[in-house]
Amino acid sequence: MPDDVVTMDKIVSLCKRRGIIFPASEIYGGIANTYDYGHYGVLLKRNVVDAWWQAMIGDRDDIVALDSAIIQHPRTWEASGHLAGFTDPLVDCRTCGQRFRADHLDAEHDVRCPRKPSVLPGQGPDCNLTEAREFNLMFETTIGPVQEAGSTVYLRPETAQGIFLDFKTVLGFARRKPPFGIAQVGKSFRNEITPGNFIFRTLEFEQMEMEYFVPPDDAHRWYLHWLEARMDWYERLGIRGDHLRLRAHEQDELSHYSSATSDVEYLYPIGWQELEGIANRGNFDLTQHAQHSGEKLEYFDQQSGERYVPHVIEPAAGVGRATLALLCDAYDEDQIGGEARTVLKLHPQMAPVKVAVLPLVRKDGQPELAHEVRNLLRRRMQTEYDEGGSIGRRYRRQDEIGTPWCVTIDHQSLEDRTVTVRDRDSLSQDRVAVDELPAFLEARLAAPWESPKLAV
Ligand code: GAP
C-alpha cells in the first residue's frame, strides 16, 4: 500500500476546497459518479491533454489527429462487439435494493453492503442476492422525437471505434502508410454501476486514444514500443517511477478483441489501479467493420503490390485517471514555521497556474507594479494576480493548487525594480530584476524536474 500521507478523502476535500473538481448537480444532491471540473481542474486537465497531443503529434510525424462523432451509426456497436459483449455481470439485493457487480463481491474489491454491520454484499444475515445478470454498459438514446424501430443509438463507450470507421477516409487524405496512427481525445460514456472512487470511475470521462496501424508481422514489435513510450510519458509528467508499473493481462482478462494487453498502473491511495491500457487489437476491428459495412478496410502497398488488413496497437488512456494520479502523486503535507501546510508538488509544466503575482500590501504603488509584472508574464505562462489576505495565506492558497512560483512585490521593488521569487518546494527566495523575470521563470519552467517527494 502507499507510503505517503495522501488518502483519497484528502484529495476529494482539497479538490472541493479549492474548486478543482467537485460533485456535479450539487444543488440537487449530486448525481452518481459524476463530477465537474472548476477553473484549476480545467487548467490541470488541459495540461494533461496538451502533453498527450505533444507526445502523439508534436513529437512524431507518423500520427494524425481526428475528432469523430460521439453518436455513430448503431451498427458500429454490433460490429465492434459492444452490443453483445460490453457487459458487466450484476446482482441485485432484494433486501436493500442495491446493485453490485457480481465479480466485485470479494474482499479484494471491498464493496460494502449499505446496511449495518458493514459486510461484503451477500454476507449479512438479511442479504438476499439475485442470480447474476449481464448488464450492457452503453447508454442508449434515440434519434428523432419518437422512439421507433431503427431510432435507437448509443453514446460511444470508447473513442476508438470512430477511428476505425474513418480509417479509409484518413488513409485517403493523410498521405501515410503503415506504420501510422490516428489519435483522438474526447468524451466516452459508460453506465458504470460500481461506486467510483472520486473521478477514478465515472459515467462520462475523457479518453485519449491512439490506434496505430501496422503491417501484421510488425505488430508485436510495435506493441513493445508503445509499452515503453507510454510508461516514459507518465514519468515525464513528473509521476514517481516507483508508483508506476506495467502489468500484463492474464489470458482470461483479455477483451474480446485483444491478443495481448498490458495496463500502465499507478499506486493510487486505493492501491494499484489501471491508468491506461495498451492493447494489441490485431485486425479484429477493421475486419469486423469491413464485414458489416461492405467497405474494404485494408492497405494496398503500390510499391510491393501487397494488400493487407493492418493490425492495430492501441494505447488508451483516461484524462481523469491521469489527472487523479498527478494529484495523488503531488499531494504532500509539511510544516512551515510551525504551521501545517498542504501542498501540491506538481511538475511545474503540469501545474494549473505557473506563477502568482502578489503585492505585499495593497497600497504605495505595489498593486500597480504587480499588475505590470503580471502583464509581462501572462502571455508566456498561466499567471494569477492575488492581493487578498495576508501574504502567508496567499502563499498557502497557491501551495494548495500547486503553483510553483510566487512573485512578491514589496517596498524595495518600487525602489530598484526587483521582485522576490518564492519556490513552492525549496521555499527559497531569489531576488530578480523585473526585466529579467520572464527569462528567469521560463528557464525554471523548462528545466529538468523530479518529484521532491522522491527525496523523502
Ligand atoms: N478503447 C479501449 C478502451 O476503451 P479501456 O481500458 O476500457 O479501453 C481505456 O479504457 C482507459 O479509459 C482506461 O485505462 C481508463 O483510464 C479510462 N476509463 C475507462 N473507463 C473509465 C471510467 N468509467 N471512468 C474513468 N475513466 C475510465
Side-chain angles (χ1 to χ4, degrees):
M1 286 303 282
D3 51 5
D4 61 27
V5 293
V6 63
T7 65
M8 201 62 106
D9 285 346
K10 288 179 184 176
I11 294 291
V12 172
S13 131
L14 171 64
C15 284
K16 183 135 198 236
R17 189 162 71 244
R18 290 294 169 210
I20 301 173
I21 304 166
F22 38 84
S25 304
E26 249 195 320
I27 60 167
Y28 289 106
I31 176 165
N33 300 339
T34 307
Y35 292 88
D36 291 343
Y37 286 70
H39 181 66
Y40 300 122
V42 171
L43 294 177
L44 176 60
K45 189 158 69 98
R46 200 184 68 182
N47 290 341
V48 171
V49 173
D50 285 352
W52 189 84
W53 279 123
Q54 181 60 37
M56 289 297 160
I57 59 170
D59 296 347
R60 308 179 62 110
D61 294 325
D62 55 352
I63 299 179
V64 295
L66 180 72
D67 189 352
S68 69
I70 285 174
I71 296 176
Q72 298 283 359
H73 194 287
R75 292 193 61 205
T76 303
W77 311 109
E78 225 175 280
S80 68
H82 284 83
L83 213 46
F86 194 54
T87 55
D88 277 344
L90 295 184
V91 294
D92 291 298
C93 178
R94 298 184 187 92
T95 310
C96 69
Q98 285 285 309
R99 186 165 276 182
F100 306 100
R101 265 179 68 168
D103 54 341
H104 284 186
L105 297 179
D106 49 13
E108 189 195 330
H109 289 91
D110 201 30
V111 175
R112 295 279 153 172
C113 165
R115 300 184 129 206
K116 299 285 175 221
S118 171
V119 290
L120 299 179
Q123 302 202 347
D126 301 325
C127 294
N128 185 357
L129 302 185
T130 61
E131 289 295 309
R133 289 176 298 120
E134 290 298 326
F135 174 83
N136 197 296
L137 296 183
M138 284 196 295
F139 281 104
E140 251 181 61
T141 187
T142 46
I143 291 183
V146 287
Q147 194 159 9
E148 56 198 3
S151 66
T152 302
V153 290
Y154 303 90
L155 302 189
R156 67 181 176 200
E158 61 173 15
T159 64
Q161 295 304 322
I163 297 180
F164 298 126
L165 302 194
D166 286 344
F167 168 75
K168 197 172 166 186
T169 312
V170 174
L171 197 59
F173 67 66
R175 296 187 296 121
R176 299 286 195 290
K177 57 183 272 192
F180 83 102
I182 305 177
Q184 113 161 294
V185 175
K187 281 233 167 149
S188 293
F189 304 81
R190 295 183 191 176
N191 200 351
E192 302 273 9
I193 296 304
T194 325
N197 274 298
F198 192 36
I199 54 167
F200 182 80
R201 195 180 301 283
T202 48
L203 301 185
E204 55 180 275
F205 51 96
E206 259 174 289
Q207 289 187 307
M208 306 178 283
E209 297 200 288
M210 196 276 293
E211 310 302 320
Y212 198 71
F213 301 92
V214 301
D217 290 345
D218 293 347
H220 188 65
R221 185 165 65 81
W222 280 110
Y223 173 65
L224 299 180
H225 166 90
W226 283 108
L227 295 185
E228 196 183 320
R230 296 305 301 148
M231 280 291 279
D232 283 355
W233 185 76
Y234 287 102
E235 294 207 30
R236 288 207 302 278
L237 299 190
I239 296 180
R240 289 166 294 170
D242 62 354
H243 278 57
L244 286 169
R245 73 177 187 196
L246 263 179
R247 188 184 66 80
H249 281 206
E250 302 290 341
Q251 209 57 32
D252 61 359
E253 271 183 277
L254 292 175
S255 309
H256 57 279
Y257 50 74
S258 166
S259 60
T261 297
S262 291
D263 288 342
V264 179
E265 294 189 332
Y266 176 72
L267 185 54
Y268 291 97
I270 50 171
W272 285 103
Q273 297 285 344
E274 175 184 346
L275 254 180
E276 161 162 357
I278 299 144
N280 181 345
R281 297 181 77 121
N283 61 10
F284 175 82
D285 303 274
L286 290 181
T287 307
Q288 285 292 108
H289 287 303
Q291 276 171 10
H292 282 71
S293 66
E295 286 282 346
K296 274 197 175 127
L297 299 179
E298 56 188 24
Y299 176 71
F300 176 62
D301 189 331
Q302 285 182 336
Q303 268 168 353
S304 67
E306 201 190 351
R307 187 181 291 281
Y308 61 86
V309 179
H311 283 215
V312 172
I313 308 303
E314 175 199 65
V319 179
R321 292 217 187 152
T323 304
L324 183 58
L326 281 174
L327 288 168
C328 295
D329 214 64
Y331 183 96
D332 209 358
E333 292 167 357
D334 55 18
Q335 298 265 331
I336 300 183
E339 254 187 56
R341 155 175 102 141
T342 299
V343 51
L344 286 183
K345 293 176 174 170
L346 287 165
H347 190 311
Q349 288 168 14
M350 290 295 116
V353 175
K354 311 301 182 211
V355 54
V357 182
L358 318 171
L360 199 57
V361 291
R362 232 187 292 180
K363 56 182 185 182
D364 302 337
Q366 289 186 18
E368 289 76 7
L369 180 57
H371 280 299
E372 185 192 324
V373 169
R374 199 233 166 149
N375 288 337
L376 191 65
L377 297 173
R378 71 187 319 158
R379 300 295 293 269
R380 300 166 196 258
M381 58 191 73
Q382 191 67 39
T383 311
E384 190 164 283
Y385 174 84
D386 186 7
E387 59 173 29
S390 74
I391 192 73
R393 281 187 66 165
R394 282 180 276 163
Y395 283 154
R396 286 307 98 74
R397 206 179 291 153
Q398 295 301 331
D399 288 340
E400 287 208 340
I401 59 162
T403 306
W405 303 292
C406 287
V407 169
T408 310
I409 289 38
D410 56 18
H411 68 278
Q412 190 184 328
S413 312
L414 295 162
E415 286 164 14
D416 64 5
R417 285 186 64 84
T418 63
V419 294
T420 56
V421 178
R422 171 200 183 255
D423 185 281
R424 176 197 67 200
D425 302 331
S426 68
L427 300 175
S428 64
Q429 305 247 6
D430 289 305
R431 197 96 209 166
V432 182
V434 168
D435 293 345
E436 286 161 19
L437 189 62
F440 177 87
L441 289 171
E442 277 173 343
R444 298 282 287 269
L445 194 54
W449 187 88
E450 110 173 343
S451 169
K453 287 172 78 178
L454 276 171
V456 180

